[in-house]
Every structure is written in structure tokens, then in C-alpha cells.
Amino acid sequence: MTALILDLSPVIELTDEQFFQICQNHRDLRFERTAQGEIIVMPPTGWESGNRNSRLSQRLNNWADIDGTGLVFDSSTGFILPNGATRSTDAAWVKKERIAALNPDPAKFLPMAPDFVIELRSATDSLERLQLKMREYMDNGVRLGWLIDPQNQRVEIYRQGKEVEILQSPSSLSGEDVLPGFILDLAQILS
């Protein structure tokens, strides 16, 4: 099952609050909204992707608990990007000081781009759509992003102002200067 894209713009342009209410009224569905106002309804993933996603969040949280400078978010968190899109990442990290400076409502979507994102390609995900999403993250201020593609046994690394780096079958990834000391072991993620 692939994502369903609804273009309501000829009929209505939803405000951030209206989109948030749609998401709250349909908590059993996962929604994103593009900068053009299209609503993307995403199907649940299979168990293998769910397990991989859980491992990603666990490992990132383990590092973040020790580091203490930021917060980790899972795929249920909405981020309102500067371009107006509302996106959910498979895993994300944001410096605590950036959140504190905004003092956002914790019950709403976070009105900022994360510092770091991970997108994990599931069997039903379009690689091209995920690559566009990763570029959108970079264009909106994300500093480091990983697109993990188990189907092709590769990882695409996105960095601010740099060309995408593609690694074939890496054993681990470094959080570089964005997540100092974070090393993600890919043994149970890519295999």
C-alpha cells in the first residue's frame, strides 16, 4: 500500500490549526502536509520496518540520554517547517535550547525543523519521494540527515550546503559534529 495524496487546495487551504485538528480527529492515521498544501495519508508500516524504526529511536535516545543537550522525537511527532509543510520523520533530534527559545505548546506540532533527521525506507516507500523529503529538510534548516534504504543496502547522508554522500552497505554511521559521539550500528537496521 502506498501513500495517498489529497490536494484540497482548489477547495480549501487549511490553517496549521485546522490541519492539526484533522490529525487529532483521526489519530489512527498518519498525516503529513506539503508546502503546497497537499495532505499525505501514510499507511502503517510492516513489522520489519516497525522493528527497524524502533531500534533507530532506541539507539538515538540512548545517546541523547547521556549527551543531555537535545530531545529525540519519533515518527508520531509533527514538525512545521519554515516553508509551511508539516512533516514527520522516522526519528529526529532537536537541541533543547532551540525548543526553550520558542517555548512552543507541547500539545501541538513543533514549529521548527529538527537539527537531525532519519528517514527509513519501508517496502512501500518511494525512494524518489523520500529523497525529495530529505532535500526539503535540508532546505528548511536541518543540519544532518540520513536516508536509510535497506532494500538497496545503502545510506544517503545529507548535510547542509553539501552534495549527498551515498554509502553502500556501511556498518555504522557517525553523528559528526551535529550529534558528537553518536555512532549508529547498522547491523540490525540494514540486514
Side-chain angles (χ1 to χ4, degrees):
M1 177 188 247
T2 59
L4 174 68
I5 300 174
L6 303 172
D7 185 1
L8 302 178
S9 61
V11 179
I12 187 172
E13 288 189 30
L14 296 173
T15 65
D16 288 344
E17 183 59 33
Q18 289 169 324
F19 179 68
F20 180 79
Q21 285 306 313
I22 288 172
C23 295
Q24 297 307 298
N25 292 344
H26 301 281
R27 289 179 176 265
D28 53 332
L29 298 174
R30 287 187 52 215
F31 294 100
E32 287 186 335
R33 183 174 53 163
T34 68
Q36 294 73 35
E38 298 169 320
I39 296 175
I40 303 168
V41 184
M42 295 170 291
T45 64
W47 66 266
E48 186 174 47
S49 287
N51 180 261
R52 286 176 173 152
N53 228 10
S54 176
R55 289 179 187 282
L56 288 172
S57 292
Q58 173 194 15
R59 291 172 186 177
L60 186 55
N61 262 310
N62 289 345
W63 170 83
D65 285 347
I66 293 167
D67 178 72
T69 62
L71 300 175
V72 174
F73 300 92
D74 69 9
S75 61
S76 64
T77 306
F79 292 92
I80 302 173
L81 302 179
N83 70 353
T86 302
R87 295 295 194 169
S88 295
T89 67
D90 287 320
W93 180 85
V94 179
K95 283 187 159 241
K96 286 180 182 177
E97 64 191 33
R98 291 184 60 221
I99 296 171
L102 277 182
N103 194 26
D105 183 342
K108 303 281 184 169
F109 297 140
L110 195 53
M112 65 172 51
D115 292 288
F116 169 73
V117 299
I118 300 174
E119 287 291 342
L120 174 66
R121 183 181 180 205
S122 69
T124 59
D125 284 334
S126 157
L127 180 58
E128 183 180 347
R129 178 169 263 111
L130 286 175
Q131 289 168 331
L132 289 171
K133 191 175 177 183
M134 293 300 291
R135 284 188 213 102
E136 180 179 44
Y137 290 144
M138 294 299 115
D139 290 346
N140 280 274
V142 171
R143 296 171 49 211
L144 177 65
W146 298 338
L147 171 51
I148 300 174
D149 182 0
Q151 289 91 317
N152 294 310
Q153 291 293 296
R154 71 182 207 176
V155 175
E156 296 181 12
I157 301 174
Y158 292 76
R159 299 174 182 95
Q160 271 295 318
K162 296 187 178 174
E163 291 294 317
V164 176
E165 180 181 1
I166 299 174
L167 303 176
Q168 193 64 44
S169 300
S171 59
S172 64
L173 297 171
S174 166
E176 303 174 8
D177 62 335
V178 178
L179 307 171
F182 178 55
I183 303 294
L184 176 64
D185 179 358
L186 291 169
Q188 295 171 314
I189 310 281
L190 278 182
S191 57

